[in-house]
Amino acid sequence: MTHPATRPGPTLHHRPWRRDSDLALLVPSSAGTTAAALQDAAADAAAAGYRAVLSPALDPERAAPWLAAGFRTHEHLHLLHHDLVAVPTASSGGLRRAAPWDRRRVLAIDHAAFADPFWRLDELGLDDALRATRLHRFRIERRRRGYAISGIADRRAYLQRLAVEPGSQRRGVGAALVADAVLWARAQRATSLSVNTQEHNEGALALYRRAGFVLDPAGLTVLRWDAPR
């Protein structure tokens, strides 16, 4: 799953959640925002024709002004952290850097791996994941059965996205991609590696916990504001 790299800020703009979506993602620019600013930005999105506005995945502290602005819970997510001390033993040797010609295959893997269309990436979402941090790592399994995107900002690393085609799950592909992300984050001297996943995705949760990730009890929440009808 993608990790929130944008943070609430005084400058807000909206964009489509997916390229052809009537849902808008409200994108904050930096730390600190107000309920009034969020209300104004949501109203602007509604005036542009969007039927609802989504927040990034937020921790409880950052969610407070959004809730005050009238946003409500759309979905809770698990949040996990790795301290980068004890690294996974899974081999990451069967991976390579993803190339531009892999993009179509990457999106096909993503669509197959995520049953809920809401969470599937399109070209816009893939670009967002790759641009979320200044430094990123885009890896694909050599037989093109899975891929991962990791990034680092302010010495904190994020496993932005990981997907494995259903027929290749529980065969070591996901474990190799996670191990690669952990080893890369440590080599870049990051202080931690974070990842989020849907609460019902027990397979992904088990994968991350086997790799040494620890569940954050606070979790994250995606919030939603519906335009008046």
Side-chain angles (χ1 to χ4, degrees), residues 2 15-19 98-111 119-133 136-140 147-150 160-163:
T2 46
R15 64 159 180 77
W17 169 246
R18 297 291 183 254
R19 193 173 299 277
W101 53 84
D102 290 313
R103 287 176 64 99
R104 181 176 295 180
R105 177 57 186 158
V106 161
L107 291 174
I109 293 168
D110 200 274
H111 279 226
W119 289 111
R120 293 173 182 166
L121 290 187
D122 60 4
E123 288 279 356
L124 179 63
L126 180 57
D127 286 340
D128 283 345
L130 292 170
R131 296 170 182 167
T133 56
H136 73 265
R137 183 172 179 85
F138 187 13
R139 303 287 278 175
I140 190 168
Y147 81 97
I149 299 172
S150 304
Q160 303 272 17
R161 192 76 170 181
L162 185 147

Side-chain angles (χ1 to χ4, degrees), residues 1 6 14 23 62 74 78 82 90 92 99 101 108 121 124 132 134 138 149 155-156 164 172 175 188 214 218 221 228:
M1 304 291 297
T6 55
H14 62 264
L23 301 176
R62 291 176 181 162
H74 178 80
H78 285 308
H82 198 293
S92 59
W101 53 84
L121 290 187
L124 179 63
R134 185 173 298 178
F138 187 13
I149 299 172
R155 296 194 65 198
R156 295 185 63 184
V164 177
Q188 298 298 320
V214 175
T221 305

Side-chain angles (χ1 to χ4, degrees), residues 1-210:
M1 304 291 297
T2 46
H3 192 273
T6 55
R7 299 177 180 177
T11 302
L12 298 152
H13 68 277
H14 62 264
R15 64 159 180 77
W17 169 246
R18 297 291 183 254
R19 193 173 299 277
D20 298 323
S21 178
D22 58 358
L23 301 176
L25 175 66
L26 192 54
V27 183
S29 63
S30 60
T33 192
T34 64
L38 291 165
Q39 288 174 332
D40 289 344
D44 287 344
Y50 291 100
R51 65 181 175 87
V53 181
L54 301 167
S55 76
L58 303 167
D59 61 35
E61 181 179 355
R62 291 176 181 162
W66 298 74
L67 293 169
F71 284 72
R72 295 294 177 260
T73 298
H74 178 80
E75 186 167 350
H76 292 291
L77 301 173
H78 285 308
L79 175 63
L80 302 98
H81 306 290
H82 198 293
D83 62 11
L84 305 179
V85 176
V87 299
T89 57
S91 171
S92 59
L95 311 178
R96 64 170 172 83
R97 182 171 63 181
W101 53 84
D102 290 313
R103 287 176 64 99
R104 181 176 295 180
R105 177 57 186 158
V106 161
L107 291 174
I109 293 168
D110 200 274
H111 279 226
F114 289 88
D116 184 352
F118 178 84
W119 289 111
R120 293 173 182 166
L121 290 187
D122 60 4
E123 288 279 356
L124 179 63
L126 180 57
D127 286 340
D128 283 345
L130 292 170
R131 296 170 182 167
T133 56
R134 185 173 298 178
L135 181 64
H136 73 265
R137 183 172 179 85
F138 187 13
R139 303 287 278 175
I140 190 168
E141 193 256 351
R142 290 188 181 278
R143 294 174 62 184
R144 303 209 307 174
R145 298 177 296 174
Y147 81 97
I149 299 172
S150 304
I152 296 178
D154 299 326
R155 296 194 65 198
R156 295 185 63 184
Y158 303 95
L159 183 48
Q160 303 272 17
R161 192 76 170 181
L162 185 147
V164 177
E165 63 180 13
S168 299
Q169 292 174 5
R170 298 176 178 84
R171 296 186 180 183
V173 177
L177 290 163
V178 172
D180 180 83
V182 172
L183 292 168
W184 176 73
R186 190 165 80 163
Q188 298 298 320
R189 298 185 178 182
T191 57
S192 64
L193 174 64
S194 300
V195 65
N196 66 63
T197 188
Q198 293 168 274
E199 287 192 327
H200 68 264
N201 194 339
E202 297 299 327
L205 182 61
L207 170 67
Y208 297 136
R209 299 190 80 162
R210 285 196 301 270

